Every structure is written in structure tokens, then in C-alpha cells.
Amino acid sequence: MGSLANESFNIELQQLDASTDTARNQRTQWLLTSPNPPSFFHQLISSVKKNVDKTKKQSRNGVFFSFLKGLFPILSWGRNYKGTKFKHDVMAGLTLASLCIPQSIGYANLAKLDPQYGLYTSVVPPLIYAVMGSSREIAIGPVAVVSLLISALVSKIIDPAVDHIAYRNLVFTATFFTGAFQAVFGLFRLGFLVDFLSHAAIVGFMGGAAIVIGLQQLKGLLGINHFSTKTDVVSVLEAVYKSLHNEPWFPLNFVLGCSFLIFILMTRFIGKRNKKLFWLPAIAPLLSVVLSTLIVYLTKADQHGVKIVKHFKGGINPSSLHQLQFNSPHIGEIAKIGLICAIVALTEAIAVGRSFASMKGYHLDGNKEMVAMGCMNLVGSLTSCYTATGSFSRTAVNFSAGCETVVSNIVMAITVLISLELLTKLLYYTPLAILASIIISALPGLIDISEAFHIWKVDKTDFIICIAAFLGVLFGSVEIGLIIAVGISFGKIIHGTIRPSVELQGRLPGTDTFCDITQFPVATETQGILIIRVNNASLCFANANFIRRRILSTVTSRSEEQSKGKIRILVLDMSSVMSIDTSGIVALEELHRELVSQGIQLAIANPRWKVINKLKVAKFVDELGKGWIFLSVGDAVDACLNTKMGDLSTINC
């Protein structure tokens, strides 16, 4: 009876193994007989056809209005705009204007332009963005980093102290190119170009730029006449040292500037402690300008060495179309400056817009934002404006003031326009030290030390990028800092592509899960079977030979460990490989031949759709044998275990 029971059990076990083999073979057939993936041209034609079909379903008027709504979002939300929202937007716009007016004058000074051009930039671009932009909270206008970029890069072509008019015209031309590049990025959906500036690079770049901007303000804060056109720390400090020793110095500038800098920082501290007093730090810069101007006017401090703004042209933005220098011999350099400013300005604006959009729970379309930013800078370059973008500090004030829509930008622009018409003569006695103190007060928000420490903890390579960008801006120039940051970021990507890692896998006890044995020491290897996974999305000309050598090196090192026994089968897990080219296929063929020469059989597990299709077309599947292609690592291991290790040919091919 016992022998009959054992025989019955063996028959059932054989039937179970047969059904398991059948199911496994069926899964392999699913993989091998899957339809061919669509080609690039098929995808392109399908996309065009889909858009054409969508257009056919709409009337011509419907298509036209749909296009207009996409280009001008104000046509969509404007229908539901209510008086209660307008009340909040007016209050936010007025609060925004009180901060914008003094900051715009200061940033124009940083860009080495006359004060009115900062105010012009706070009129036209916000109005254009209000009808084309999709962010509800972002505040548009001149910003510190872009102002520094323009002054640092354009000054290399023409010194504003030598020919101020030619310098201004080149700034307008650079702004035109900035807008053109931004619009093209949006229209052709090239937003990924902005991502070349990684988060770590931006943190380092902004920190270095903030220190450089602060050092540049020493000219106004100390009342220095002659200053370096260079932006690196050594040149600036050397210029300050020479000026203080070779020229008469008037300490009243420093006293006045530092006094109001302390006042502005105190109001900011109070505003953070008491959220209801958010308006106090917002109006502090404007209040500082008014009080300091009165002090200088009443005490005649300008006669005692205090540097003042003096002539301040008011009125509506004049046309600057005839001032664009497209025939300039420096047009190539100006276009390059426009490209740099376009990327930096977009990076800051989209980061600011998305941050506040996530707080309000809506999505921001990056490509539409690029088109809106591009159009506002294109129009701005024709109306005496220089490059504008989204400001983080003013956006935060706009958000805290309770803005509902971009109407707050319209209110701000109208307020600035009224100021240009009526109040510019009153700013004649405004001390330059106050403008310097206003800019310096906005810089702490650009230096994010805590984020730099966080980057250090999370990713040391990213921290190197951060520090490289920081030091490049600080001791080289803004352009050098950007080049270093982007260069190291590219180097990181290229290194990860051409030298990807491969990992040994084992089975977690009691599961069918296979994972890295280094990460999970409890995972066990199967005797005679080596499982290796390629950790890269592409097996291509750049990394194919490196991966092949790494796999062979791993096989050799594991074979030398006698405790593991002789390796008979190598299972190559290709679940991470999304694409493969002819170089990758050739590398697999060479790997297969070298393994066969060592008496080791190659098995491939979980090849992706495009990968298995190319392997079939290249006849590599036939060369390897269809029985050595598996849907999963588990299937491959089970098939190998069910095969007599001495006779590998028993797997159905």
C-alpha cells in the first residue's frame, strides 16, 4: 500500500510540474508573440490624426475660441470674476505696489539703468502677463538675479559709464532675445531645457548671486564714485579698498543706509511673528524711501556728501522699437545673453508659480507660462522695459495680502503708472544708500543654507554641484557659475549613463521576489544560477561594452568562490532596460558567445516591449533559443531548477 501511495504522489507531482511548465511556456509565448511597438512615424501620424479629429468635431468658431482661451486664460476665468474677488485683488495690488516701487528703482540701479526703467518694467510686463499667464499669485517685475545678469554680461560688451545710451539699447535688445527664446521654448514644448539647471545648481547659484548683489550695493551704501565693473568678490573688495583709501568718503551714506536697513529687517521680523501685520514689511521699503527723501531734502544732506538719485524721468513708457540693435556687431553675444537670461528667468518664475499653485491646489502649465513670459518680454523690449520675471518676495507678499487672481498685477501696474505720472519729481532727493539697503534686505531669501545642508545629507554629488555653482559665481562670474553648474550636472548624467551599475540578485525567503543581495543580505542565491540586473534605462553604444565587461567580471569573481559551486546559468534581468540599439544587441551576442565558451548558459528575463522586438528582428532570440527568454526572473529560476543542470538542452526551445 505504501509503495502505491508514493507512486500516486509522484504522478501528481509530475502532473503539477507539467502544468507549471505549460503555464510558464505560455507566458513566454505571450512575450514572444506580442505585437510590434508603434514606430516613431506611426506615433507622429496618430498624434496629428487625433488633433485633426478633435478639430473636426468643433466648428471653426469653436476652434478659434478654444485657441483664444488657451492663449488668453483671462477669457476663461474672467466670466466668473466677482466683486468680492476684486476687493481682495485691489488690496493685494496696492500692497504689492508699495513694495514694487522702491524695489524696481533699486533693481534698475543694479542693472545700471536709470531708475525709471525699473518702474517701466513694472507696468507693461505685468499687464501682458495678466491676460496671458495662468498663475493667480505670481507678481511680475524686475528681480535681483536677472538685473545682476544683465549688468554683468552686457557691461562686458559696452561700459555703461562710457556710453550709457548704447548700453541701454543693448539691454533692450537682450530683452527682446530673452522674450523670443522664452516664447519659442513654450510653443515648441521645450520646457525640459529649463530642467538643465538642477535644484542643487539653482540653490548654489542663487546663494552666490545674492552675495555678489550684496557686495555690489557697497557702492551705494558707502557713496563710492568709482567702482569695479567685475562681479567677483576679489575685484569688488579691491575696488572698495582702493576707493576708501584714494577718494574722500562720506559716512552719512553708510549711516543713513544702515539705519533704514535695520528698520526694514525689524519690520520683516515683526511681520513673521505676527501674521496679521503682513502689510508692515511690505510697506517698509516705500516708507523708507519717503522718510529718507524727506530727511535729505530738509537737512540738505546732498550738500554734505549724500548721493541722491537726482534726475528722474517720469511719464508713460516710451517706445524703444527704434533702439533695438539688430545690426550691432555684437548681436551674437547679445543673443547668448538673451538665452542665459531666458533660462534663468524661466527657472525662477516657474519655480515660484508652481510653489504657490500647489498651495492653492491647481496645476500650472509650464509651456503656457513660457509663452506668456516670452510675449511680455517681447512687448516689454519695445516699450523701454528690461527682462521681467516672477519675483519670489513680491509673490509671497501678494499671496499673504489675499490676492485671488492676476488682477492684483493689473492694480499694481496701474499704481506704478500713476506714480510715474505724478510722483517722480518727488523722488529727486532719494538717497542711493536707501536703494542699496532695500536690495540688501531682499537678499536673505535667496540664500538657503538649510537647503544646502539638506542637499549634503541626501546627495553628496548634488552638494558638489551646489558648491561649484556658488563658488563659480562668487570668485568667477555669473556666467562661469552657470557654466560650471550645468557642466557638472551634465557630467553626472553622462557618468550615470556610460557607467551604469549591475547588481546581483537573490530570492527573499518565503517569497518569489528577487532583489539586490547587498541591499537585502537575507536574500539567498540559488546554487549554480547567477542573477544579474542591469540598472540603466538604455543599453546603447555609450555603455554596452562597459556593461558586458562588468557582467563578465562579476561572473568570473563569483565562479572563483568555491562555496557557491560552479555557475551553470546566468539570468540577465532586463526589467530596467527600456531601449536597446544595435551596439547593445552586438554586446549581448558577444556576451552569449563568451559565456558559452565558459560552459555557462545565458537566460534573459523580463525584456521590455521595444527591447524584445529588436531582439527578435536581430535574430538574437533565435540564436539564444526561445526557451531561454522568460517573462520574469522567477520563471527563469524555476525553469532552470526543473532542468537537470548537467543537461541544459532539456528546456523547450
Side-chain angles (χ1 to χ4, degrees):
M1 292 292 293
S3 61
L4 290 175
N6 289 334
E7 185 178 350
S8 176
F9 175 76
N10 290 332
I11 292 173
E12 290 179 2
L13 189 60
Q14 289 175 2
Q15 290 175 346
L16 180 62
D17 289 340
S19 63
T20 302
D21 290 341
T22 302
R24 185 169 54 248
N25 291 335
Q26 187 178 29
R27 288 193 292 269
T28 299
Q29 286 302 313
W30 292 343
L31 178 64
L32 294 173
T33 58
S34 59
N36 295 333
S39 65
F40 170 78
F41 295 105
H42 183 270
Q43 289 178 316
L44 182 63
I45 293 171
S46 298
S47 177
V48 172
K49 188 176 180 181
K50 183 179 180 181
N51 291 329
V52 170
D53 291 341
K54 187 186 295 184
T55 303
K56 286 181 178 179
K57 292 179 181 178
Q58 296 178 329
S59 63
R60 289 185 178 180
N61 290 335
V63 172
F64 178 70
F65 282 116
S66 177
F67 170 76
L68 285 181
K69 286 180 180 179
L71 190 60
F72 304 107
I74 194 171
L75 297 176
S76 298
W77 59 261
R79 294 180 177 181
N80 302 320
Y81 192 72
K82 298 179 181 179
T84 52
K85 290 184 178 181
F86 182 67
K87 178 183 175 182
H88 291 292
D89 285 335
V90 168
M91 293 301 297
L94 293 174
T95 306
L96 199 55
S98 67
L99 176 62
C100 170
I101 291 172
Q103 277 194 353
S104 298
I105 296 172
Y107 292 149
N109 188 46
L110 177 61
K112 298 178 182 177
L113 294 168
D114 292 332
Q116 65 268 21
Y117 293 107
L119 295 178
Y120 291 159
T121 307
S122 296
V123 175
V124 174
L127 291 175
I128 300 298
Y129 183 84
V131 297
M132 298 189 69
S134 54
S135 173
R136 304 169 195 167
E137 296 81 23
I138 197 169
I140 299 296
V143 297
V145 174
V146 175
S147 300
L148 173 67
L149 268 174
I150 287 174
S151 65
L153 299 178
V154 180
S155 294
K156 293 180 180 179
I157 302 173
I158 293 181
D159 188 347
V162 175
D163 192 344
H164 189 73
I165 294 176
Y167 172 83
R168 181 196 64 197
N169 293 344
L170 289 186
V171 169
F172 292 156
T173 309
T175 301
F176 179 88
F177 279 110
T178 297
F181 280 120
Q182 290 174 333
V184 168
F185 290 165
L187 290 172
F188 290 94
R189 299 187 176 276
L190 301 176
F192 64 89
L193 293 175
V194 177
D195 296 331
F196 286 156
L197 277 177
S198 65
H199 174 68
I202 292 171
V203 171
F205 174 77
M206 290 294 187
I211 294 176
V212 169
I213 292 168
L215 292 173
Q216 291 284 319
Q217 301 317 301
L218 291 176
K219 178 183 178 181
L221 202 61
L222 300 175
I224 297 172
N225 290 320
H226 299 93
F227 205 68
S228 173
T229 57
K230 298 180 180 179
T231 59
D232 62 283
V233 173
V234 176
S235 299
V236 171
L237 293 179
E238 185 180 356
V240 171
Y241 178 80
K242 288 181 179 179
S243 297
L244 294 179
H245 283 76
N246 301 330
E247 298 179 11
W249 179 55
F250 300 98
L252 283 177
N253 291 284
F254 184 75
V255 172
L256 196 63
C258 286
S259 299
F260 281 97
L261 176 60
I262 293 170
F263 167 70
I264 294 171
L265 294 176
M266 285 180 62
T267 58
R268 188 170 296 170
F269 176 76
I270 294 170
K272 286 184 177 180
R273 293 291 296 271
N274 190 343
K275 298 298 182 182
K276 293 182 179 179
L277 297 176
F278 69 88
W279 52 269
L280 187 59
I283 67 168
L286 183 61
L287 196 60
S288 299
V289 169
V290 173
L291 291 176
S292 63
T293 303
L294 283 174
I295 291 171
V296 172
Y297 176 74
L298 295 174
T299 62
K300 293 183 171 49
D302 58 310
Q303 299 177 10
H304 300 282
V306 174
K307 305 292 182 182
I308 59 175
V309 172
K310 294 184 179 179
H311 180 66
F312 197 144
K313 185 180 178 182
I316 300 174
N317 297 39
S319 172
S320 56
L321 175 61
H322 61 285
Q323 298 174 21
L324 299 180
Q325 303 294 306
F326 294 121
N327 295 324
S328 170
H330 306 290
I331 192 66
E333 296 173 75
I334 292 299
K336 184 183 72 172
I337 293 170
L339 176 61
I340 293 172
C341 290
I343 293 175
V344 173
L346 282 175
T347 301
E348 184 171 358
I350 292 176
V352 170
R354 284 177 176 169
S355 297
F356 286 91
S358 63
M359 294 181 190
K360 287 289 188 75
Y362 68 94
H363 174 69
L364 206 63
D365 189 327
N367 290 307
K368 287 184 179 180
E369 286 296 288
M370 290 179 187
V371 173
M373 294 280 173
C375 289
M376 79 180 189
N377 280 315
L378 281 171
V379 177
S381 68
L382 305 177
T383 53
S384 301
C385 304
Y386 73 97
T387 303
T389 188
S391 164
F392 187 85
S393 60
R394 293 197 294 274
T395 302
V397 168
N398 196 30
F399 180 80
S400 301
C403 74
E404 295 287 344
T405 64
V406 284
V407 171
S408 60
N409 272 277
I410 298 175
V411 174
M412 177 199 71
I414 293 172
T415 307
V416 174
L417 185 60
I418 294 171
S419 301
L420 277 166
E421 287 286 352
L422 305 176
L423 305 177
T424 50
K425 292 182 180 179
L426 302 177
L427 299 174
Y428 180 90
Y429 289 98
T430 301
L432 294 177
I434 294 303
L435 302 181
S437 65
I438 290 172
I439 293 175
I440 291 172
S441 69
L443 298 181
L446 297 177
I447 304 174
D448 198 340
I449 298 175
S450 61
E451 184 61 22
F453 276 115
H454 177 71
I455 292 171
W456 164 258
K457 292 178 181 178
V458 175
D459 192 323
K460 300 298 187 291
T461 306
D462 269 359
F463 183 75
I464 293 173
I465 295 172
C466 178
I467 291 298
F470 177 78
L471 296 177
V473 173
L474 211 57
F475 294 101
S477 66
V478 175
E479 193 174 5
I480 289 174
L482 280 173
I483 292 171
I484 290 174
V486 174
I488 296 178
S489 298
F490 266 110
K492 180 183 177 182
I493 295 171
I494 293 171
H495 181 268
T497 301
I498 65 176
R499 298 181 68 87
S501 63
V502 296
E503 65 181 38
L504 284 170
Q505 291 190 306
R507 191 196 297 264
L508 287 177
T511 71
D512 289 327
T513 303
F514 292 82
C515 54
D516 186 4
I517 61 174
T518 305
Q519 182 182 2
F520 299 94
V522 296
T524 57
E525 296 183 69
T526 305
Q527 187 173 358
I529 302 174
L530 189 64
I531 307 169
I532 296 179
R533 182 168 69 182
V534 179
N535 289 327
N536 200 65
S538 177
L539 183 60
C540 60
F541 67 94
N543 57 28
N545 283 322
F546 175 80
I547 291 173
R548 179 181 60 81
R549 290 195 300 268
R550 285 290 299 271
I551 292 173
L552 289 173
S553 174
T554 304
V555 170
T556 302
S557 63
R558 302 301 286 185
S559 297
E560 291 174 355
E561 298 179 14
Q562 298 297 326
S563 60
K564 300 295 180 182
K566 180 175 173 57
I567 296 174
R568 303 301 304 277
I569 299 175
L570 169 64
V571 177
L572 190 61
D573 180 4
M574 298 185 69
S575 56
S576 298
V577 181
M578 297 293 114
S579 63
I580 190 171
D581 65 4
T582 52
S583 298
I585 295 172
V586 170
L588 286 179
E589 290 172 345
E590 292 177 358
L591 175 65
H592 179 227
R593 286 194 289 270
E594 291 180 33
L595 290 174
V596 169
S597 67
Q598 299 178 31
I600 301 173
Q601 174 63 49
L602 174 65
I604 291 180
N606 200 9
R608 296 302 182 178
W609 192 11
K610 292 182 179 180
V611 174
I612 189 62
N613 179 66
K614 288 187 178 181
L615 294 181
K616 288 190 294 184
V617 172
K619 306 297 183 182
F620 179 72
V621 171
D622 297 331
E623 180 183 336
L624 181 65
K626 294 181 180 179
W628 295 105
I629 307 290
F630 300 96
L631 187 61
S632 66
V633 175
D635 280 354
V637 172
D638 291 343
C640 295
L641 289 176
N642 290 339
T643 303
K644 294 180 180 179
M645 300 302 289
D647 184 14
L648 298 176
S649 62
T650 57
I651 292 184
N652 179 28
C653 294

